[in-house]
């Protein structure tokens, strides 16, 4: 019965202006999308974030002129699309909400995470309202509803990075989105935002609209999930680093998840989980060049190459902790990780020897003074910055004889600071100095992808 539901997500650049919206609407129409999830118009979330930072220090006059930028952008799209007055009224209501909210935050000189989420939600709420009109103009055959996703996207109350409650979302989707299944109704809705059990607005974290679309696709048992962005799918590596990249036509869920986690910017890393659970194929394509092939992410692609792609994660910090007394003692790693746990800092990669451990974190600011002080009680601490994590992603990586030597032969004289190998079938990664990344990727791409 649920067969045939297509969930399509359009990112900020696909919502940038009236032209981009019309192009995206044409795609949604052609693809027969039933649920269309949109991001805020290009740059709007950044301005909202900027506002949330300035409220504590700036004058009301300054805040107002930043608010005006957002209003003007949306009004200019509205006027170009020639939307009906009902739509302009709805937008006006949201502009009022925006102004009142910022005024309140500015008076209090306080930007709580809860207030920020309400503020940030306006970007997606405004763009979806505009886009629903744009689609409506194209499709007089179907009823298009601009749907408030907060009615179904239940999350916990961790503002700024709320976690979805899948069980509740499934129930709520069955209550509110049944017409998708049975009446062929089309819903335009917001990515990125949700609501907690107390009714407060939450957000899933920056870039979270992909995740929203995947959550809805899962909740509705969709047939496919489409992510329309500004690049024609996933490439073998970042074209800004290596000009020889090639498009990837098909890739497995696991490989794509590794790619997203290890630095490819095309997809939000958590997106693929719900799609994997629901075995929902995911398409990534460009709304600017919809005729290009794009990338399909599937459970079982026919081809399983040893190395499919390469990713780079920048700004890595390597922390090494050494304690010679740990020779043959137990509990060293336990105590190290207890410190990270107490400070709620996530560790990404790790290698150990008997008396030392090296690990990476994503952001050097996470290594605050207190964390370092606690670690220093366990041994000598050494921190290195300006490193990048280079990953080779593919299949059967940890069971292929000779691969490590091929990788190091290709790297030649490039100094490798740390290696992670063996834990994953799909990933081989190592740290190099940031400045060596283009050379390392260039050599490896030539050797393994061609
Ligand atoms: N608008 C939000 C952001 O810019 C969410 C998204 O675009 O995915 O982070
Ligand atoms: Mg985005």
């Amino acid at each position: 019965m649920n067969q045939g539901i297509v969930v399509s997500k359009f990112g900020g650049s696909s919502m940038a202006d009236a032209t981009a919206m019309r192009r995206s609407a044409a795609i949604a129409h052609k693809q027969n999308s039933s649920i269309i999830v949109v991001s805020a118009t290009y740059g709007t979330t950044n301005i909202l974030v900027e506002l949330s930072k300035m409220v504590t220090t700036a004058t009301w006059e300054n805040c107002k002129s930043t608010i005006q930028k957002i209003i003007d952008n949306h009004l200019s799209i509205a006027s170009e699309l020639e939307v009906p007055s009902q739509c302009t009224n709805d937008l006006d209501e949201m502009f009022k909400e925006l102004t009142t909210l910022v005024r309140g935050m500015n008076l209090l000189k306080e930007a709580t995470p809860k207030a920020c989420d309400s503020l940030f939600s306006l970007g997606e709420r405004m763009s979806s309202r505009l886009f629903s009109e744009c689609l409506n103009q194209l499709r007089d055959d179907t009823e298009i509803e601009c749907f408030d996703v907060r009615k179904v996207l239940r999350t916990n109350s961790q503002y700024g990075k709320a976690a979805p409650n899948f069980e509740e979302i499934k129930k709520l989707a069955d209550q509110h989105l049944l017409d998708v299944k049975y009446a062929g109704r089309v819903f335009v809705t917001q990515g990125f935002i949700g609501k907690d059990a107390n009714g407060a607005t939450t957000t899933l974290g920056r870039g979270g609209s992909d995740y929203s679309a995947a959550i809805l696709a899962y909740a509705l048992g969709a047939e496919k999930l489409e992510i329309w962005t500004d690049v024609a799918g996933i490439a073998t590596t970042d074209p800004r680093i290596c000009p020889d990249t090639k498009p990837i036509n098909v890739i497995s869920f696991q490989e794509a998840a590794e790619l997203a986690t290890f630095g490819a910017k095309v997809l939000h890393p958590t997106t693929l989980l719900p799609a994997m659970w629901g075995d929902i194929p995911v398409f990534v394509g460009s709304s600017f060049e919809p005729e290009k092939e794009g990338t399909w992410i599937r459970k079982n692609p026919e081809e399983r190459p040893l190395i499919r792609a390469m990713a780079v994660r920048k700004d890595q910090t390597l922390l090494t902790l050494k304690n010679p007394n740990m020779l043959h003692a137990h509990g060293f790693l336990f105590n190290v990780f207890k410190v990270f746990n107490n400070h709620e800092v996530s560790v990404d990669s790790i290698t150990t020897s008997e008396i030392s451990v090296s690990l990476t974190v994503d952001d050097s600011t996470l290594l605050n003074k207190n964390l370092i002080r606690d670690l220093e009680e366990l041994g000598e601490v050494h921190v290195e910055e300006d490193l990048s994590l280079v990953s080779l992603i593919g299949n059967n990586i940890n069971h292929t004889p000779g691969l490590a030597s091929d990788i190091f032969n290709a790297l030649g004289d490039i100094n490798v600071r740390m290696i992670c190998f063996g834990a994953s079938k799909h990933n081989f990664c190592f740290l190099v100095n940031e400045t060596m990344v283009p050379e390392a990727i260039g050599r490896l791409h030539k050797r393994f992808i061609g």
Side-chain angles (χ1 to χ4, degrees):
M1 203 60 197
N2 306 356
Q3 289 271 304
I5 294 179
V6 178
V7 177
S8 305
K9 179 258 170 178
F10 291 89
S13 46
S14 307
M15 291 290 123
D17 48 31
T19 315
M21 282 200 185
R22 287 203 180 103
R23 199 164 40 215
S24 301
I27 294 172
H29 185 24
K30 180 160 176 256
Q31 300 299 110
N32 232 328
S33 316
S34 0
I35 304 269
I36 297 141
V37 178
V38 302
S39 287
T41 59
Y42 187 77
T44 299
T45 310
N46 285 346
I47 306 181
L48 291 167
V49 170
E50 187 189 313
L51 257 174
S52 74
K53 294 203 169 119
M54 65 192 282
V55 286
T56 53
T57 50
T59 62
W60 174 234
E61 284 309 311
N62 282 341
C63 295
K64 263 203 303 201
S65 69
T66 304
I67 293 174
Q68 198 56 45
K69 270 198 261 178
I70 298 178
I71 296 181
D72 292 345
N73 288 344
H74 289 82
L75 283 182
S76 104
I77 300 179
S79 106
E80 209 178 315
L81 290 176
E82 298 180 26
V83 299
S85 60
Q86 184 54 52
C87 177
T88 339
N89 293 345
D90 291 349
L91 286 173
D92 269 339
E93 281 303 314
M94 288 189 261
F95 298 156
K96 273 189 212 140
E97 188 180 330
L98 169 64
T99 313
T100 313
L101 198 54
V102 176
R103 181 70 183 132
M105 292 165 83
N106 186 233
L107 280 171
L108 290 170
K109 297 270 181 279
E110 185 178 72
T112 63
K114 187 176 179 182
C116 288
D117 274 3
S118 284
L119 177 63
F120 301 160
S121 77
L122 281 152
E124 269 67 11
R125 286 162 58 203
M126 294 186 292
S127 64
S128 56
R129 187 63 189 89
L130 282 166
F131 188 69
S132 65
E133 281 310 327
C134 182
L135 189 61
N136 202 26
Q137 290 169 353
L138 202 75
R139 300 194 66 164
D140 35 20
D141 55 320
T142 347
E143 224 176 313
I144 313 278
E145 180 174 332
C146 184
F147 178 75
D148 189 336
V149 83
R150 293 172 295 179
K151 286 186 200 154
V152 301
L153 218 137
R154 179 65 54 82
T155 69
N156 65 7
S157 303
Q158 204 191 337
Y159 303 107
K161 207 169 183 28
N165 178 336
F166 285 94
E167 221 171 289
E168 280 297 311
I169 292 170
K170 269 197 154 178
K171 272 191 225 149
L172 292 166
D174 270 342
Q175 266 170 40
H176 295 281
L177 294 170
L178 267 190
D179 280 356
V180 168
K181 294 184 190 171
Y182 303 114
R185 208 180 166 106
V186 171
F187 291 87
V188 172
T189 196
Q190 307 80 32
F192 180 52
I193 71 173
K195 194 156 92 175
D196 68 9
N198 303 318
T201 298
T202 57
T203 66
L204 304 177
R206 290 305 305 270
S209 295
D210 292 348
Y211 192 28
S212 301
I215 295 167
L216 292 175
Y218 170 72
L220 291 164
E223 181 194 68
K224 63 173 169 174
L225 166 64
E226 303 175 343
I227 307 281
W228 293 96
T229 170
D230 49 12
V231 290
I234 305 175
T236 50
T237 191
D238 186 339
R240 285 163 304 186
I241 300 177
C242 172
D244 303 328
T245 54
K246 294 176 182 169
I248 296 174
N249 299 134
V250 189
I251 186 170
S252 68
F253 280 127
Q254 288 92 346
E255 292 166 274
E258 296 267 354
L259 259 181
T261 312
F262 283 90
K265 286 280 163 349
V266 205
L267 275 184
H268 188 271
T270 41
T271 307
L272 292 166
L273 268 182
M276 259 192 245
W277 298 333
D279 193 8
I280 303 166
V282 181
F283 171 80
V284 183
S286 162
S287 73
F288 297 80
E289 300 172 294
E291 66 291 346
K292 284 212 172 156
E293 200 166 349
T295 303
W296 278 100
I297 308 170
R298 298 183 180 283
K299 191 170 169 186
N300 288 316
E302 266 172 36
E303 266 179 68
R304 294 265 185 176
L306 178 60
I307 306 294
R308 174 115 55 193
M310 286 161 203
V312 178
R313 196 147 120 180
K314 288 198 215 153
D315 295 326
Q316 299 295 297
T317 301
L318 179 69
L319 181 144
T320 304
L321 184 72
K322 192 163 121 195
N323 186 343
N325 299 334
M326 282 304 120
L327 199 63
H328 296 130
H330 62 82
F332 181 46
L333 288 179
F334 173 78
N335 287 315
V336 171
F337 283 105
K338 215 162 75 182
V339 172
F340 280 92
N341 186 50
N342 291 344
H343 290 272
E344 297 182 7
V345 171
S346 137
V347 169
D348 295 321
S349 311
I350 149 168
T351 65
T352 66
S353 78
E354 185 71 44
I355 56 156
S356 63
V357 51
S358 284
L359 40 85
T360 65
V361 295
D362 221 358
D363 176 0
S364 61
T365 60
L366 292 173
L367 298 176
N368 60 55
K369 260 195 234 131
N370 296 339
L371 188 150
I372 299 282
R373 189 202 54 215
D374 290 353
L375 286 174
E376 274 168 349
E377 290 188 4
L378 302 174
E380 196 182 302
V381 175
H382 182 69
V383 175
E384 289 166 66
E385 293 184 47
D386 303 323
L387 297 163
S388 290
L389 193 65
V390 173
S391 322
L392 292 115
I393 285 146
N395 297 280
N396 212 24
I397 284 185
N398 54 358
H399 285 108
T400 302
L403 176 62
S405 89
D406 280 355
I407 292 172
F408 290 112
N409 277 334
L411 285 172
D413 57 356
I414 296 174
N415 185 39
V416 171
R417 260 311 276 120
M418 173 183 150
I419 309 163
C420 273
F421 176 45
S424 166
K425 269 200 266 189
H426 303 290
N427 189 328
F428 182 114
C429 63
F430 57 87
L431 274 181
V432 290
N433 198 298
E434 219 162 68
T435 53
M436 295 315 290
V437 167
E439 189 58 37
I441 288 280
R443 290 182 191 178
L444 292 169
H445 198 276
K446 192 162 160 210
R447 168 65 185 80
F448 291 101
I449 296 174

